[in-house]
Amino acid sequence: MPAFEMSLAELREYRGSSPLPADFNAYWDRALAELDALPAADTYQLEPADFTAPGLNCQHLWFTGVGGARLHCKLVRPATDTGDNAVANDVAAAGETGAETRGMPGVALFHGYTHHSGDWFDLLPHAYAGKVVLSLDVRGQGGLSTDPANAAGPTLFGHIVRGVADPDPDKLFYRCVYLDAVQATRILMSLPGVDPDRIGTSGNSQGGALALVTAALNPRIARCAPIHPFLADFRRIVELDFDQGAYEGFRLFFRKYDPLHEYEDEFFERLGYIDVQNFATQVKAEVLWQTGLMDTLCAPSTQFAIYNKLQCPKQMLLSHDYGHEKILYASDRIFSFFNDL
C-alpha cells in the first residue's frame, strides 16, 4: 500500500468521513421530479455525423436538459437499426406471428473531467458487438454541450464548488450534470430497437462517478463499469491534502472565500448532495469496479467509501501499481462485462 493510505484491510471496512445530508433523498426526489417535467425521453434531435464506419450509423444527438441547457451526445448504432420504420415494422410483424422480439442492448459512456465525448472510434467496439452506444458531452466542459446555469458564490476554479455557497442547494453544478446523465440514459432506453432493460453505463474518473450516479437514479440500468470514480468523500480528500488538480477548487475556496474555515461544516454538508458515496445504496445494477491503489487524485479510500456501501452484485479489481491513469486491460474487461448484456 502507498504511504498515504490506510491498509488494504482497513480500506475494505472504510465507509467514508463526509456527511450525508438529512434531506438527501428528498433533495433528489425533487430533482428527478424536475427532470420528469421536461419533454418526454423521445424528444431529441438527430443529425448525421461526418464520421462514417462500415455497417454502423453515426449521428449527433441533441436534447434539452434542466435549466435549458442544450446537451450533445455522439450516437453509434448498428446499421440494421438505421430505419425507425423498419424497426417498427419488425416489431409489428413479430406481434402478428406471436414471435418474441428482443431489442438491442445499449451502453452509455461518460468522460473524464474537462474532457468531451471522445473520438467516434472509441464508441466502435461496443457498436460492432451489436450495441447502441451513446456518449454524453458534459455541460460546460470540453464538448459541444452548453452551460447556461448561474449560481452565487466563487467560480474561480473547478466545477465541484460551483453553487456550494448559493442559498439555494439546487444551484450545485453537478446536480445538473447528474440529471443530464440520467436523461441521456432515458433517451437511450427510448430509442427504437433498444431493450431498456439491457443498458450498461461506464466511464473513468468523472465518467465513473456519472456511471454510478446514473445507475442509482435510473434503477433500470443493468450493469455499471466505473474506473477510479471522481467526486467522492470530499472531506477525506482535504484530510489527505489531495485538494489539487481536479480538486483544487476546494483549496482555492478556503483560501479566497473562507480562510479561517468558519464554514467548513456547511461546505461539506452542501457537497454531500453530490457525493457519490451517498448514492451507493440505491444502485441496483451489477458493478464491475476497477481502480489503482497508487491513485493520488481519487484516493483509494474515497473509492472504497462508495464501494463498501454498494448492496448490489459487485466486484472490485485492484491494480496495485497504478495511479489515476489508464489501466492496462481495463477496457478489455469492460467490453467482456457488457458482452452478454
Side-chain angles (χ1 to χ4, degrees):
M1 288 300 301
F4 64 81
E5 265 297 10
M6 55 188 76
S7 69
L8 186 55
E10 291 172 312
L11 288 175
R12 296 192 188 281
E13 299 296 327
Y14 180 68
R15 299 180 66 83
S17 59
S18 287
L20 169 67
D23 64 340
F24 179 85
N25 289 334
Y27 177 92
W28 282 104
D29 286 344
R30 185 172 68 250
L32 290 172
E34 180 181 348
L35 188 61
D36 292 341
L38 294 179
D42 60 359
T43 305
Y44 54 84
Q45 295 77 47
L46 295 173
E47 299 174 358
D50 292 335
F51 180 87
T52 61
L56 299 177
N57 187 10
C58 302
Q59 297 170 297
H60 298 280
L61 185 149
W62 296 87
F63 65 93
T64 300
V66 293
R70 290 293 291 162
L71 283 305
H72 170 260
C73 303
K74 290 184 174 74
L75 177 69
V76 179
R77 46 187 176 173
T80 53
D81 185 40
T82 56
D84 293 355
N85 290 335
V87 173
N89 291 338
D90 288 344
V91 172
E96 292 174 1
T97 62
E100 292 186 7
T101 61
R102 191 183 190 198
M104 287 184 292
V107 174
L109 301 176
F110 303 106
H111 63 77
Y113 188 55
T114 76
H115 197 48
H116 53 77
S117 52
D119 294 346
W120 290 99
F121 180 84
D122 299 334
L123 283 62
L124 300 188
H126 294 301
Y128 277 125
K131 298 174 181 64
V132 179
V133 189
L134 182 145
S135 183
L136 172 71
D137 278 335
V138 171
R139 60 171 70 198
Q141 297 190 5
L144 300 178
S145 296
T146 67
D147 178 25
N150 294 305
T155 57
L156 177 63
F157 183 89
H159 282 161
I160 308 176
V161 299
R162 278 187 51 186
V164 74
D166 196 290
D168 183 359
D170 290 356
K171 294 292 187 177
L172 284 167
F173 173 79
Y174 272 104
R175 175 185 182 273
C176 295
V177 175
Y178 291 170
L179 292 177
D180 294 342
V182 172
Q183 190 174 1
T185 58
R186 289 181 177 181
I187 290 171
L188 176 59
M189 290 175 170
S190 78
L191 292 174
V194 172
D195 185 342
D197 293 314
R198 293 201 291 155
I199 303 296
T201 61
S202 186
N204 70 84
S205 197
Q206 175 185 257
L210 296 183
L212 285 161
V213 171
T214 303
L217 297 178
N218 186 348
R220 295 188 76 176
I221 299 297
R223 294 195 178 180
C224 178
I227 301 176
H228 44 59
F230 184 43
L231 300 169
D233 202 9
F234 301 124
R235 191 184 290 275
R236 175 66 175 167
I237 291 293
V238 174
E239 290 172 351
L240 288 170
D241 200 28
F242 282 0
D243 46 347
Q244 53 192 316
Y247 281 116
E248 188 179 1
F250 290 178
R251 183 168 301 187
L252 292 176
F253 178 90
F254 287 115
R255 283 178 59 85
K256 305 295 185 180
Y257 194 76
D258 184 21
L260 298 181
H261 285 231
E262 295 174 288
Y263 304 104
E264 180 177 319
D265 288 343
E266 292 87 343
F267 176 83
F268 288 116
E269 181 76 17
R270 174 63 63 84
L271 288 177
Y273 291 119
I274 61 168
D275 190 329
V276 179
Q277 66 172 322
N278 293 334
F279 294 87
T281 58
Q282 301 177 44
V283 176
K284 308 300 182 188
E286 182 180 354
V287 173
L288 175 67
W289 191 301
Q290 301 183 79
T291 194
L293 286 177
M294 300 299 292
D295 196 330
T296 57
L297 177 62
C298 299
S301 50
T302 70
Q303 315 253 324
F304 276 93
I306 312 167
Y307 185 80
N308 290 338
K309 293 187 178 77
L310 291 173
Q311 299 173 5
C312 54
K314 61 183 182 178
Q315 180 183 15
M316 178 181 276
L317 302 178
L318 297 174
S319 296
H320 291 247
D321 305 303
Y322 278 78
H324 201 78
E325 58 188 310
K326 182 175 177 61
I327 297 174
L328 189 64
Y329 306 129
S331 297
D332 294 353
R333 297 184 189 104
I334 291 171
F335 182 85
S336 297
F337 181 59
F338 286 157
N339 240 2
D340 60 348
L341 264 171

